[in-house]
Amino acid sequence: MTPQLIATVLLFAPLLGAAIAGLSGRRIGNIASQSITTGLLFLACALSWTTFLGVALGDVPDFTVKLLPFINVGDFQSAWSIRIDTLSSVMLIVVTTVSALVHLYSWGYMAEDDSRPRFFAYLSLFTFAMLMLVTAADFMQLFFGWEGVGLASYLLIGFWYKKPTASAAAIKAFVVNRVGDFGFALGIMTCFWMFKSIEFAEIFPQIAARAGTTWSFVGRDWSAIDLACVLLFIGAMGKSAQFFLHTWLPDAMEGPTPVSALIHAATMVTAGVYMVCLLSPMFEYAPMARTIVTVIGAVTALFAATVGLAQNDIKRVIAYSTCSQLGYMFFAAGVGAYQAAMFHLFTHAFFKALLFLGAGSVIHGMHHEQDMRKMGGLWRLLPVTYAVMLIGTLAITGFGIPGVDLGFAGFYSKDTIIEASWAAGRENPAAQFAFVVSLFAAGLTAYYSWRLAFMTFHGKAKWGEAAAHADHAHDDHAHDPDHARGDAAVHGHDDHGHHGHDLKPHESPLPMLVPLILLSVGALAAGWAFVEYFVGHHQGEFWHGSIFNAATNHILHEAHDAPAWVVWAPLAVSATGLFIAWYVYVLNEGMGARLAARKGPLWRFLYNKWFFDELYEATFVRGARLLGDLFWKGGDQKIIDGLGPDGVSAVSLAVGQGTGRLQTGYVYHYAFVMLLGIAGLLTFALFQFRG
């Protein structure tokens, strides 16, 4: 098979699986549906690795396959195409590898759900949309994939649509992303206005020449390329759950756990990071936009890390860690270290998918209980899950030994980002802020990650019914009002998971454990195996120009020359976070519960996620409702309808009712009226005669 044919097959294999399972799933049954979709995903995964090895590490040159025309209106020309270079091939293996393993994992996790054909069809549809996004050759196809993953995520988050919280979470994700997508669409329009094209191959060569283009507005000239990049980044803020547009991400936990792994680990939420790196030729000439990306990314990393400290739902803790790690990726791109951002995206896919699926294994073993306060002592009963979760925790905290360059996946990628922000910070105040935040957030990441591990697998077992009553006083606080219980719906359990308290936890079946073991290999070795290619000495030959760095951008080179204190600082803060978590949740078990029981102002602030949901409810939701009522009741009903159709009909009704009273049906009334008429005519005649 030629590389072009391989790319075409791998792109459309998930779509074929989605069509078969979605249209014929009831006819062919559960086993056939999940077998076909999973088989086609593993085929796409194998072909993606073949493409990656050929393009990124082999001799296959970059290529574009034009499939068919899409939109041709004047200068606006778009065609369905498959663009393959190192950047897109990296995303191909990330998307298809995680998706294939999620498909396999779902065999065990969704075994008792009767809607498996629909579920597997949605998974495959999501994967196809993501592949369309990462292989786009122009903004139109990028936007198609962008909206496609939004639609598929809506379907997956609200998969258990009979559960009100799941439907509400799906709608929230859809609406919040529409806000970001409005900015994204405006950014595409700005690019077309500047370059008279939406094709990347035509836009990128023009950027240097048009970098000085301005747009006049409110009496001031604005940098057009900065404006375009800022608008495009607003789209990334929604899709990748950055500060201000992040509120949909934790609520998306209402979907089944495999969905959380697929959406939040490696695919949809990383689309924004990929887009910024893809458009590095534009962002390199947009310093204001890069500063905004840096600041928003750093604030997001800090915000999500602090909120993760106070969450008790095992999936929500991991969801906020995703949000925080995405912040790292964005501020890496903001300081110009696009390669480091993609490297962390790559390694993060393995250990975050591992953590989410590992959490799903815990939830499955705990009979769909998600509250970490009701777990404890599970390491003996779930030994494989415990081992892989331990690997994932070491990877996300970036455990490794500087100097000997030996560590888990996150050690190589996250430390590179921290060193790059230090290097950029010598001349860039925003990068200085990002560097300080990166170290602080690394310590917080270690704390909440080990808190999750200790509360779940160590300490006193709280999952027995008697133990649950005995330890009730040690709970961190009263039951979470927004506690996610979406996964319980698969078995019809109530929102509190009470059906499983008296059952002994158990290890997950083999279809769930195999993906965990494979992902743990990636969490162990992905950083070590690829560090030299992504950000090391071979990165120039590896990327083949698919990521652009201006002649003045030497951030990666300077990052490798960071002083010893910068190199060792991440390990120091991570070790500090580990020690504090061990002291609070192992050495002094119950200390965390007692601290939370006080419900101090800091705890309330973090537990309520900086009160963003309440703030948005009070401003945007209620404000929109008040504005709608004003236009509806005041403008539409009272003014338009009152003066228009309702007013006219009211006058007609009044006139009709008034004249109707004259029609009494009595002869003497009519005779009297006739007499009045004759008298009137005679009076008129007399006046006329006199005249």
Side-chain angles (χ1 to χ4, degrees), residues 551-576:
T552 56
N553 186 341
H554 305 292
I555 296 301
L556 275 183
H557 177 72
E558 295 171 2
H560 294 312
D561 297 327
W565 73 269
V566 173
V567 174
W568 284 88
L571 179 61
V573 295
S574 296
T576 303

Side-chain angles (χ1 to χ4, degrees), residues 125-141:
L125 177 64
F126 180 93
T127 307
F128 166 72
M130 192 67 197
L131 293 178
M132 291 296 292
L133 188 158
V134 302
T135 58
D138 61 34
F139 276 114
M140 199 68 232
Q141 186 177 329

Side-chain angles (χ1 to χ4, degrees), residues 160-224:
W160 288 313
Y161 57 87
K162 293 182 180 179
K163 194 166 185 284
T165 52
S167 297
I171 293 172
K172 185 176 183 179
F174 197 80
V175 171
V176 172
N177 274 275
R178 297 293 72 73
V179 176
D181 292 350
F182 180 68
F184 189 60
L186 292 176
I188 294 174
M189 296 175 196
T190 305
C191 289
F192 181 70
W193 169 75
M194 284 181 64
F195 303 107
K196 307 304 180 195
S197 175
I198 59 169
E199 291 189 27
F200 303 139
E202 295 182 4
I203 290 175
F204 292 165
Q206 301 181 53
I207 293 173
R210 295 179 179 268
T213 304
T214 58
W215 182 62
S216 297
F217 183 67
V218 294
R220 181 177 173 182
D221 291 335
W222 303 82
S223 169

Side-chain angles (χ1 to χ4, degrees), residues 129-158:
M130 192 67 197
L131 293 178
M132 291 296 292
L133 188 158
V134 302
T135 58
D138 61 34
F139 276 114
M140 199 68 232
Q141 186 177 329
L142 182 68
F143 190 73
F144 170 82
W146 199 268
E147 297 303 307
V149 294
L151 168 65
S153 68
Y154 168 80
L155 297 173
L156 287 167
I157 295 169

Side-chain angles (χ1 to χ4, degrees), residues 66-72 77-82 137-138 140-141 198-199:
K66 289 197 174 183
L67 300 175
L68 67 158
F70 180 34
I71 297 178
N72 297 310
Q77 303 287 320
S78 178
W80 291 114
S81 304
I82 304 174
D138 61 34
M140 199 68 232
Q141 186 177 329
I198 59 169
E199 291 189 27

Side-chain angles (χ1 to χ4, degrees), residues 17 20-21 24-25 27-39 107 117:
I20 294 173
S24 306
R27 193 172 307 135
I28 63 179
N30 292 330
I31 300 300
S33 296
Q34 63 192 40
S35 299
I36 292 171
T37 52
T38 305
W107 281 52

Side-chain angles (χ1 to χ4, degrees), residues 50 422 459:
T50 301
W422 169 84

Side-chain angles (χ1 to χ4, degrees), residues 301-302 305 324-325 328 396-398 414-415 418 435-450 569-578:
L302 176 64
S324 182
Q325 298 303 308
Y328 274 90
I396 195 173
T397 57
K414 189 160 72 171
D415 282 22
I418 293 173
F435 172 67
V436 174
V437 165
S438 68
L439 289 178
F440 186 54
L444 297 179
T445 300
Y447 175 81
Y448 68 67
S449 297
W450 287 110
L571 179 61
V573 295
S574 296
T576 303
L578 166 60

